[in-house]
Amino acid sequence: MGTNGSTMLEPLRQGLPPLDPSAVSSAASCSLPARYEAVGSARQFTRKTLNQWELEERFDDIALVVSELVTNALRHALPSDTPRDQNPPVRLHLMRWTSRLVCAVRDPSDDSPVARETDDDFSAESGRGLFLVDSFSDSWGWHPLAGTLRGKVVWALFQLP
């Protein structure tokens, strides 16, 4: 694997996925509690949903991205004093169009996602999540929630065969 100096993710894209939300053919969502076990629940929900949509062959890549997005929401978007048994503050949405699938994770933080450089210390546990999202999805971005809702949605798009 060659090195080309410091690898920096492209600037974070703020905006909605490039899809018409009214044309979605299938959608599923689940609430996730403010506990790290929620990552496993998100993977199980993703597997079940992709099986229903006959997209099992895409599970590995999509589940990796879902895991990273949920982990980021739990690690960076929740205040440390978030009660672990209150209304689930994180929500996973899976939406399918004819040739695309979007995973979106909603969290209560208004802060934009922060990508870190990955070359300097690739063994570092923190900071690789958005690099993996960028590597395994076809595109991704984020947008703040509208109106009086606090928080944001971070999404990743996958092209389907």
Side-chain angles (χ1 to χ4, degrees), residues 98-150:
T98 305
S99 61
R100 296 177 181 174
L101 180 130
V102 168
C103 320
V105 175
R106 174 182 164 180
D107 68 55
S109 171
D110 294 323
D111 296 335
S112 68
V114 176
R116 295 177 177 85
E117 292 195 26
T118 56
D119 259 8
D120 297 337
D121 184 8
F122 200 74
S123 62
E125 188 61 32
S126 182
R128 289 190 308 210
L130 293 177
F131 177 79
L132 292 172
V133 170
D134 191 61
S135 298
F136 284 87
S137 66
D138 292 298
S139 66
W140 71 280
W142 73 281
H143 60 90
L145 294 176
T148 58
L149 294 172
R150 290 206 48 196

Side-chain angles (χ1 to χ4, degrees), residues 26-160:
S26 303
S29 68
C30 69
S31 294
L32 299 167
R35 294 189 300 272
Y36 285 110
E37 302 86 65
V39 177
S41 300
R43 289 177 68 87
Q44 289 173 349
F45 175 80
T46 300
R47 181 180 296 279
K48 180 179 156 207
T49 302
L50 293 181
N51 284 346
Q52 289 172 346
W53 294 348
E54 299 181 354
L55 294 172
E56 303 89 349
E57 73 281 357
R58 296 303 307 270
F59 173 76
D60 291 340
D61 290 352
I62 293 171
L64 174 69
V65 167
V66 163
S67 296
E68 294 301 333
L69 294 179
V70 170
T71 298
N72 280 352
L74 294 171
R75 182 177 291 157
H76 302 295
L78 297 181
S80 57
D81 60 351
T82 301
R84 299 304 181 206
D85 56 354
Q86 78 169 36
N87 290 337
V90 175
R91 189 156 189 88
L92 167 64
H93 299 269
L94 299 174
M95 295 159 284
R96 180 183 180 185
W97 286 258
T98 305
S99 61
R100 296 177 181 174
L101 180 130
V102 168
C103 320
V105 175
R106 174 182 164 180
D107 68 55
S109 171
D110 294 323
D111 296 335
S112 68
V114 176
R116 295 177 177 85
E117 292 195 26
T118 56
D119 259 8
D120 297 337
D121 184 8
F122 200 74
S123 62
E125 188 61 32
S126 182
R128 289 190 308 210
L130 293 177
F131 177 79
L132 292 172
V133 170
D134 191 61
S135 298
F136 284 87
S137 66
D138 292 298
S139 66
W140 71 280
W142 73 281
H143 60 90
L145 294 176
T148 58
L149 294 172
R150 290 206 48 196
K152 67 177 171 302
V153 173
V154 183
W155 55 267
L157 181 143
F158 294 86
Q159 299 287 348
L160 299 175

